[in-house]
Amino acid sequence: ELKEATDVSFTRDGLEIVFIAGGVVCVLDANHREPRQLTNTPEEEHDVLFAADGKSIVYVSDQGGQSDIWSLKRKDDSLYWWQNTEVEETQLTNDPEEEYSLDWSPKGTWLSFVRARGDLWIMKPDGSDAKRLRESWNSPQYDWSPDEQWIVFAGSDADFNRDVFIMSVERPELVENISLHPDNEYTPRWSPNGKRIAFTGRRIGEEVDIYYVNLQAVDDELTPRDRKLQSALDLLNKARSKSVSSSAS
């Protein structure tokens, strides 16, 4: 009987769920709700994620006495995850340092993760082309830009002040501090359209609020009414263009 689950991840359609229960990787169908165990090791598994296309699962396993990233694929692709009785396991990293905080880039091109005390790495889904983007003594909170060209992260400097930065994936030496505040900022998130970054931070006493930064100067010049008007026009244009396309077909 399943009593507790952690590290939950959904397929993009929300119909299949992968999670950790009792230290092993399990899946279930969102409607059938009968869990199936996929891994069977005496060591713990954690940080489990479905790939963007739902065809593989990545997770961190402590087997062999070290924390490494592993991948699972279905033996029979014609069956759903919860119908498969066999899976293929592949080890993607093999080093003594701990890996954690896994995340996929929006298009599934890269798998990102944090290694050791706070180094931010990326690699291809098969474990190839691994490269370190940022070396640090503290673990960052990070998020991908929708076009996969940039990463936003919150990290601490030598004075233990935590700010929000954006960094180029292709040229990680290009880093820009976008919060520039003596208090600490956390949990940055990129907007779906890539134009804005939101994060939490303190400005008055101990109160923590949500703040955002527009990444284009033109957006800073818009009034709240201008933004509402533009949003309304975008929705209308999108809806009416679909209607015209449907009529033409």
Side-chain angles (χ1 to χ4, degrees), residues 7-249:
D7 295 359
V8 176
S9 176
F10 290 79
T11 51
R12 286 191 170 178
D13 58 15
L15 297 178
E16 291 187 284
I17 308 168
V18 62
F19 56 92
I20 302 295
V24 298
V25 179
C26 301
V27 293
L28 58 76
D29 172 74
N31 295 306
H32 183 55
R33 299 184 183 179
E34 184 175 300
R36 180 177 294 280
Q37 183 176 329
L38 297 182
T39 61
N40 184 21
T41 62
E43 296 87 1
E44 295 279 326
E45 271 95 46
H46 49 94
D47 287 79
V48 67
L49 283 177
F50 266 117
D53 59 8
K55 294 181 179 180
S56 64
I57 293 170
V58 293
Y59 61 99
V60 176
S61 176
D62 295 338
Q63 59 182 292
Q66 61 185 37
S67 293
D68 286 310
I69 301 174
W70 290 68
S71 173
L72 292 175
K73 289 189 176 181
R74 294 168 292 180
K75 278 286 185 71
D76 188 346
D77 286 337
S78 66
L79 299 176
Y80 295 111
W81 277 100
W82 56 276
Q83 293 177 310
N84 267 262
T85 57
E86 292 184 279
V87 292
E88 297 177 351
E89 296 180 80
T90 303
Q91 187 172 358
L92 301 183
T93 64
N94 185 9
D95 61 89
E97 301 288 357
E98 180 183 6
E99 280 101 26
Y100 53 99
S101 296
L102 278 58
D103 196 15
W104 288 104
S105 62
K107 301 173 185 177
T109 307
W110 297 100
L111 175 64
S112 54
F113 58 95
V114 178
R115 173 176 283 166
R117 297 180 65 185
D119 295 353
L120 183 58
W121 286 71
I122 61 173
M123 65 182 178
K124 292 293 180 63
D126 61 0
S128 63
D129 295 336
K131 62 178 180 178
R132 183 172 60 189
L133 298 183
R134 175 179 181 264
E135 183 178 5
S136 178
W137 56 271
N138 68 99
S139 179
Q141 298 164 318
Y142 69 95
D143 191 34
W144 284 86
S145 65
D147 63 4
E148 300 187 337
Q149 301 301 306
W150 299 85
I151 288 178
V152 60
F153 67 91
S156 300
D157 59 23
D159 295 321
F160 300 96
N161 179 53
R162 197 169 185 87
D163 279 321
V164 176
F165 304 81
I166 55 174
M167 172 177 59
S168 168
V169 174
E170 184 177 351
R171 297 179 59 192
E173 70 275 10
L174 297 180
V175 180
E176 185 72 25
N177 188 330
I178 63 171
S179 59
L180 289 171
H181 196 272
D183 272 324
N184 293 324
E185 283 83 36
Y186 304 93
T187 57
R189 289 294 180 268
W190 223 295
S191 66
N193 63 8
K195 294 182 178 181
R196 182 178 293 173
I197 290 173
F199 55 90
T200 59
R202 292 188 307 175
R203 294 294 183 272
I204 303 175
E206 296 299 317
E207 180 180 342
V208 177
D209 293 305
I210 298 174
Y211 299 88
Y212 68 86
V213 173
N214 289 315
L215 300 178
Q216 298 179 4
V218 64
D219 293 323
D220 262 339
E221 297 166 1
L222 296 176
T223 66
R225 182 180 180 279
D226 292 333
R227 294 191 184 96
K228 287 183 179 180
L229 178 60
Q230 186 59 55
S231 177
L233 289 172
D234 290 344
L235 288 172
L236 280 167
N237 290 334
K238 185 176 181 180
R240 298 293 163 83
S241 64
K242 285 184 177 179
S243 177
V244 171
S245 299
S246 300
S247 300
S249 59

